[in-house]
Amino acid sequence: MNLQLPEAVNTYFAISNGDDPSRLATCFHADATVIDEKRTHQGIEAIVAWQRQARQAFSYRVEPVDASQRGERLSVTARVVGDFPGSPVLLKYLFALTDGQIRSLEIAP
């Protein structure tokens, strides 16, 4: 499915699918927060480390399948397929966007 997503969100999903994690600084605010698996990652360095750890632990692909936006809040449902327990899974990505960048991201089942 070809969804119209903001550039920062497209960049985030490209990185999630194997692009260079150092590019996260181009799509996240410097003080951004990511919450994944009930763990909070604050700031670009922590977010880059989180993304690298996920890539080292598992091989996976993320495909956004649905999206809805209200103001600066964007909800994206994505199908995640990989070599992790429970694959495939649909996850909800809740983005808060400010000035074209991701201010926060929460990933939940």
Side-chain angles (χ1 to χ4, degrees), residues 32-43 46-47 49-51 53-54 57 105-109:
T33 301
V34 172
I35 300 171
D36 182 32
E37 297 181 339
K38 299 181 183 178
R39 295 186 66 209
T40 300
H41 311 277
Q42 178 78 43
I47 293 170
W50 158 74
Q51 188 67 234
Q53 287 173 336
L105 167 60
E106 184 172 353
I107 304 170

Side-chain angles (χ1 to χ4, degrees), residues 24-93:
L24 288 167
T26 67
C27 60
F28 280 91
H29 274 270
D31 62 348
T33 301
V34 172
I35 300 171
D36 182 32
E37 297 181 339
K38 299 181 183 178
R39 295 186 66 209
T40 300
H41 311 277
Q42 178 78 43
I44 293 296
E45 286 184 26
I47 293 170
V48 168
W50 158 74
Q51 188 67 234
R52 285 190 173 134
Q53 287 173 336
R55 277 274 149 220
Q56 289 173 350
F58 302 106
S59 186
Y60 59 90
R61 296 281 305 160
V62 182
E63 178 191 358
V65 294
D66 190 36
S68 63
Q69 187 163 3
R70 287 189 183 175
E72 299 290 307
R73 312 258 330 145
L74 174 66
S75 176
V76 177
T77 301
R79 184 170 189 264
V80 184
V81 178
D83 61 359
F84 56 89
S87 176
V89 65
L90 285 178
L91 295 178
K92 188 76 79 170
Y93 292 75

